[in-house]
Amino acid sequence: MRLPLPLVLLLLLPPCVLTSRPAKRSYSTHDYYVLEHLPSGAASLDECVNNLGLEVVEQVGELRDHWLVRRRKQDWYVRTEGDPVELLRRMRERAGTGSVHARSEPVHVEGDGDGEVKSTAREVASRLGIRDPTFTKQWHLVNDEFPEHMMNVSGLWEEGITGAGVISALVDDGLDYNSDDLAANFFAEGSYDFNDHEDLPTPKLFDDHHGTRCAGQIGAVKNDVCGVGIAYDSKVAGIRILSGPISDVDEAASLNYGYHNTSIYSCSWGPSDDGRSMEAPGYLIEKAVVNGIQNGRGGKGSIFVFASGNGAVHDDQCNFDGYTNSIYSITVAAVDYKGLHPYYSEACAANMVVAYSSGSGNSIVTTDVGKNKCATTHGGTSAAAPNAVGVFALALSVRPDLSWRDMQHLCVRTAEMINPEDPDWEITAAGRPFSYKYGFGRLDGYKYVKAAQDWEPVKPQAWLDVQPIQIANGTMDILGTMSGGAPITTEGVRSTFTITQEMLAENNFEGLEHITVKVWISHTRRGDVEVELVSPNGVKSVLAAKRRYDNAITGFPGWRFMTVKHWDEKPVGEWTIRVNDQGSEGESGNFLGWSMTLWGSTIDASKAKQYEVPFLASLLPAPHEDVVTTTTILPLTTATKSYPKPTSHLPTDHGSVEGEATKAAFSNKPIATTPTVQDSITPTADEGWFPDMENLVSNQKWFFGAVGAVVVFGLSAGIFFWRRAVNRRRRAQYSTLARDDDVPMSSIGAGGGRATGQGTKELYDAFGEVSDDEDDVDEHTGLTAGRPEDRSPGGLGFHSGFLDDDDPESARATHTSYRDEPEDPDHLRSGSSQPSRTGSPGSSGTGSWEHASQLR
Ligand SMILES: *[C@@H]1O[C@H](CO)[C@@H](O)[C@H](O)[C@H]1NC(C)=O
Ligand SMILES: *[C@@H]1O[C@H](CO)[C@@H](O)[C@H](O)[C@H]1NC(C)=O
Ligand SMILES: *[C@@H]1O[C@H](CO)[C@@H](O)[C@H](O)[C@H]1NC(C)=O
């Protein structure tokens, strides 16, 4: 029986699905999944969902071919008869040929007046007719005492550049659109509340004031309330995600929300800044970000601005945060009133610029929640980011045609060095000063916008992948199980790779911009590990420096670091990565492998390719490119989290403590001068996923599970489609996997690092029920109604992840400083209406980020 069905895509869906605002969720009655349906498959979306008894809720934000689907809870029970590999074989026979692959997958308040010294602020106010009462206290706009330290935008205002026509969205905890200081600039169409699924981002919790304050910095109206925003004629939208748990689906949608109209997404949040967390956006969120880059703003790319983080006091570094170390983010750290480095502001090689925020006696003065209320204690890096956003809004108002990379180039080129005596500065190969604390320097609004006016747009993006290099047979499977690798001795371990001119030409690669480096390192104490990348020209990027409080035993399972320090450097020659630890008694680890991607501009723009987010990106060795699939179900089970409030790790004295400019961010102790060079093995191009899998004993169980899951899905849908023929070698591989099938699936999900292979684990968990159960199964559909006691919400239930977190008792106990008590008891009710959790241990420890890190 062949099942080639013509495409009837989307036609049966009500058109409003594509345009309407996200639907309310009903977690108590339904399980939600994401279905990635590639139109190139043989079956229509409709056929897929109908056969599975699913219901399409809506497209996942702006992600094409990704559908949020749901299914009533009591129906959801998937079983398979006997051996999934056998089923796979039968499926293949029926269809004749084909292969199946799994693919699864975010004040200085000196009184004004008193006839005192000359005030530039007052002169500016009078020239521009600014009557806002706190304007003269907004030192970040005009700094009377330290005039070299301010965003320096008043000269632009005088030229009439005030941000008109540009929309920035505050992805935050709410936005007081009723404030007299914001109402006139509020962009309702681009606003949404993803926590409560309402149209407007109303601040509701007692501490929902952060988004409003940040919005004021960008778009506070020039009127008689508080102060003004940097782009006071621009519009601001509010996207509320920080006031409660948020699923990956909603986070993905939030980062693309209104992205045709909204230009800039101001994001002052991320994984906990506790110096112990290391978390990156999940597959779906990464896809949304790339979607924003490729399709947002009419294809010029959404501008994502991320605050570098407030955890420097805990040795936290922005390279341990997958949002701030993304090449798609402009990462902004803070400097204070005197231009000094505030002790909270995180350093790392991914920092691009600094903008002004709290410290050395002054904080940011801006709008607050409430009628005519002004904030005077706003600060942290999360107040630096919106200051940069304001400048970018001014630039886009005069140059709306600039791409996301143009905006980054302008940062690199126009940022100004401050505190030149600071030992953290180094000169890059391109001759620019760079510092882990300040990035390329302070963002000067005037300089930036003037440069933007004359900027020649860069050519499209190109990249050059250095495939994973295995060290001493190091491997990591999909569960995050690492084996092999070279022991990290006191001298450290070094590995090299040479980039040639031919490689650049082959990859249509011209000018270097970002570099991402992925490492596989096992270690008994992650905080001890130091990682450095040294360029052919001897420029060193510290990617990881030691972290006092990071006791994690999970190492770096394919963790991606990023550096902007090699921007415009000529990349030809030998690149060296060095891994070292503190040599602490009783702590040790292995360096298993690394890979590197150079990002830059094309030689020939007409040959530019479009980047696709790789699936299974963290395996060592790399999975073969042919691992492609057609249909996937991703449960949201493990993907719901609560972000800490941006201020949760901001020290309370952030505004008063004097900053510094005398300390290097990371100790400059050179790593051993005679490092051990290990055997490096670079897999050949045609060595793929399946041959590699053969070496990974523990992997087989997982893979078995995944194949089984996909098979069951295919069977039950009554449809299956193939993209590619499979070769005999791989077919044989399937059979070898069949021998090893006695591991209860539910026990597998518990292991591994959340940072890697995450999406895949989720796919796996979704079918955690696909175990060796013997009840009879519907021959045709592969589905059967489960006995209630068999239903394992741990494996399937949407809420199990954040149920733990939402427990008000534990919330109070563990997150006192930032947890919001849900005002709306619905949060709790929908969670606890789950049946008792008898299910898989796979769900434990998969709750919110800070939850996971607190447990550590
Ligand atoms: C600030 O802007 C002015 C023009 O308004 C410009 O002359 C100056 O160089 C800029 N930078 C500083 C640090 O003042
Ligand atoms: C948003 O952009 C779309 C497409 O460019 C346009 O049709 C629409 O009018 C815009 N909406 C608003 C409110 O500006
Ligand atoms: C890696 O594996 C190969 C083949 O199995 C073996 O010959 C070699 O000795 C191994 N290398 C190390 C460093 O373990």
Side-chain angles (χ1 to χ4, degrees), residues 167 187 189 260-261:
I167 301 162
F187 183 66
E189 292 83 349
H260 296 299
N261 305 76

Side-chain angles (χ1 to χ4, degrees), residues 78-97:
V78 181
R79 283 212 316 91
T80 173
E81 131 195 48
D83 181 353
V85 175
E86 175 59 16
L87 292 182
L88 174 69
R89 201 184 51 73
R90 275 167 35 201
M91 281 299 296
R92 208 185 271 128
E93 278 170 7
R94 277 195 219 176
T97 179

Side-chain angles (χ1 to χ4, degrees), residues 22-98:
K24 265 209 186 282
R25 315 283 193 250
S26 174
Y27 300 129
S28 54
T29 57
H30 289 79
D31 289 317
Y32 287 79
Y33 301 85
V34 173
L35 179 74
E36 179 180 0
H37 175 270
L38 301 186
S40 50
S44 73
L45 175 64
D46 228 44
E47 285 163 328
C48 290
V49 296
N50 285 343
N51 279 286
L52 273 172
L54 296 167
E55 187 189 341
V56 174
V57 180
E58 63 198 9
Q59 182 176 307
V60 175
E62 298 283 353
L63 284 180
R64 285 184 53 201
D65 306 327
H66 290 65
W67 301 93
L68 183 66
V69 295
R70 65 176 193 176
R71 189 182 163 113
R72 289 202 80 80
K73 271 190 159 47
Q74 49 271 44
D75 300 333
W76 190 235
Y77 184 63
V78 181
R79 283 212 316 91
T80 173
E81 131 195 48
D83 181 353
V85 175
E86 175 59 16
L87 292 182
L88 174 69
R89 201 184 51 73
R90 275 167 35 201
M91 281 299 296
R92 208 185 271 128
E93 278 170 7
R94 277 195 219 176
T97 179

Side-chain angles (χ1 to χ4, degrees), residues 621-747:
H624 196 275
E625 271 174 18
D626 282 359
V627 180
V628 186
T629 35
T630 44
T631 303
T632 311
I633 279 202
L634 252 195
L636 308 183
T637 315
T638 58
T640 298
K641 53 195 169 282
S642 288
Y643 287 98
K645 284 278 188 174
T647 48
S648 65
H649 286 275
L650 183 63
T652 49
D653 56 2
H654 65 92
S656 54
V657 174
E658 185 83 2
E660 59 78 28
T662 55
K663 287 190 285 225
F666 311 126
S667 72
N668 272 331
K669 169 172 75 81
I671 289 183
T673 43
T674 52
T676 325
V677 184
Q678 298 293 328
D679 282 337
S680 291
I681 303 160
T682 313
T684 58
D686 58 343
E687 229 181 308
W689 161 246
F690 295 102
D692 296 328
M693 294 295 282
E694 196 159 22
N695 302 327
L696 308 180
V697 175
S698 59
N699 236 4
Q700 297 185 356
K701 291 158 193 164
W702 180 87
F703 191 61
F704 171 83
V707 170
V710 173
V711 168
V712 169
F713 174 54
L715 269 183
S716 56
I719 42 177
F720 226 94
F721 24 90
W722 282 265
R723 263 188 118 175
R724 246 172 228 271
V726 69
N727 65 34
R728 282 187 192 287
R729 191 163 58 138
R730 287 183 195 163
R731 217 174 272 177
Q733 198 57 39
Y734 279 117
S735 322
T736 63
L737 295 175
R739 289 182 218 120
D740 211 331
D741 65 346
D742 54 0
V743 170
M745 302 302 170
S746 57
S747 68

Side-chain angles (χ1 to χ4, degrees), residues 587-611:
E587 310 288 3
S588 64
N590 284 3
F591 182 24
L592 286 69
W594 64 294
S595 70
M596 173 165 87
T597 303
L598 310 184
W599 304 86
S601 59
T602 50
I603 299 168
D604 180 350
S606 70
K607 292 192 187 130
K609 291 184 288 183
Q610 201 166 64
Y611 182 72

